[in-house]
Amino acid sequence: MVFWVFGYGSLVWNPGFEYDEKIIGYIKNYRRVFDLACIDHRGTPEHPARTCTLEYKEGSICWGAVYCVRGGEEKERLAMKYLENRECEYDQKTTIDFFKEGETDEPTLSGVIVFTSTPDKESNKYYLGPAPLEDMARQIATASGPCGNNRDYIFLLEKAMFDIGHEDDMVIELANEVRKVLGLLGLGVRKETSTNRLTGPSLKPKSPMSPRKLLHLPEAIAMDT
């Protein structure tokens, strides 16, 4: 028995569960967006945080990390229980193909689990939907909850993508806008210089692949993504 799960948010730098293997790579036809609410970890019901989810977009790619759990039914059960509790604001599991760097045609792994959310405000109470960059930045700059503030989430994700060698332009743009808001509010935050950014061409996959829905998760208490 074995399962693989793809992380694209805080799982990239803080998986939080026992795993046997980690691989950096990407999935096709999805992009990272900050359209999901977190109401009891880095935000509150009155002032929800914005955390990332995936949006299906043909031709896009999303870099992250895939984790393998093997070694027996009980170990897998505990890891999945932890993930389902942590990722509970995501109301879907989707199975996808995963590609390592340099591979564009044949996937490295198939049937990889990724937690996703229904982009519909009526059926998914955690879905905030898109908003202007300035509005998202102000929400992220000011939201906080029992486990920390929302701005740390975006800055840690920005750093995590830098560390794996695949920065996300949208994350960088949003993080810099958050820094502007914090400056206006007089809170201050460290500024990454442009010389710290990785350069080089992005890997462009050739053939799109369709997602396969696995199941819907029951409603639970939201935690960090």
Side-chain angles (χ1 to χ4, degrees), residues 130-156:
L133 181 69
E134 296 81 3
D135 293 348
M136 290 195 296
R138 180 165 292 276
Q139 183 175 355
I140 291 170
T142 56
S144 63
C147 298
N149 57 59
N150 200 180
R151 61 181 179 267
D152 284 348
Y153 177 91
I154 183 78
F155 296 145
L156 286 168

Side-chain angles (χ1 to χ4, degrees), residues 78-183:
L78 290 174
M80 183 55 69
K81 181 180 179 181
Y82 168 81
L83 287 166
E84 288 177 345
N85 285 331
R86 173 171 168 166
E87 308 295 295
C88 57
E89 70 268 34
Y90 298 85
D91 62 338
Q92 295 179 337
K93 290 177 188 172
T94 302
T95 54
I96 44 83
D97 291 326
F98 172 84
F99 298 80
K100 289 197 301 186
E101 186 164 9
E103 298 178 352
T104 59
D105 296 321
E106 294 298 322
T108 306
L109 299 164
S110 294
V112 174
I113 297 169
V114 62
F115 287 83
T116 59
S117 56
T118 303
D120 181 84
K121 293 182 179 180
E122 292 187 3
S123 62
N124 182 2
K125 70 178 184 179
Y126 296 114
Y127 182 69
L128 297 173
L133 181 69
E134 296 81 3
D135 293 348
M136 290 195 296
R138 180 165 292 276
Q139 183 175 355
I140 291 170
T142 56
S144 63
C147 298
N149 57 59
N150 200 180
R151 61 181 179 267
D152 284 348
Y153 177 91
I154 183 78
F155 296 145
L156 286 168
L157 179 58
E158 181 187 38
K159 181 181 184 301
M161 299 311 296
F162 174 85
D163 289 343
I164 68 172
H166 294 283
E167 293 179 284
D168 186 316
D169 288 342
M170 187 270 180
V171 173
I172 292 171
E173 183 181 22
L174 183 54
N176 283 333
E177 193 66 27
V178 171
R179 292 184 178 99
K180 290 180 184 178
V181 173
L182 292 172

Side-chain angles (χ1 to χ4, degrees), residues 158-159 161-163 165 167 172 179 190-199:
E158 181 187 38
K159 181 181 184 301
M161 299 311 296
F162 174 85
D163 289 343
E167 293 179 284
I172 292 171
R179 292 184 178 99
R190 62 179 176 80
K191 175 70 175 178
E192 298 290 346
T193 63
S194 59
T195 56
N196 288 333
R197 294 185 55 185
L198 294 176
T199 58

Side-chain angles (χ1 to χ4, degrees), residues 36-40 42-51 126 128 139-140 142-144 150:
L36 202 65
C38 176
I39 63 173
D40 70 347
R42 294 184 181 270
T44 64
E46 296 75 25
H47 192 177
R50 272 190 181 262
T51 53
Y126 296 114
L128 297 173
Q139 183 175 355
I140 291 170
T142 56
S144 63
N150 200 180

Side-chain angles (χ1 to χ4, degrees), residues 195-215:
T195 56
N196 288 333
R197 294 185 55 185
L198 294 176
T199 58
S202 299
L203 183 62
K204 301 294 184 182
K206 299 178 182 178
S207 57
M209 305 185 75
S210 298
R212 300 180 294 281
K213 300 298 180 187
L214 184 63
L215 55 86

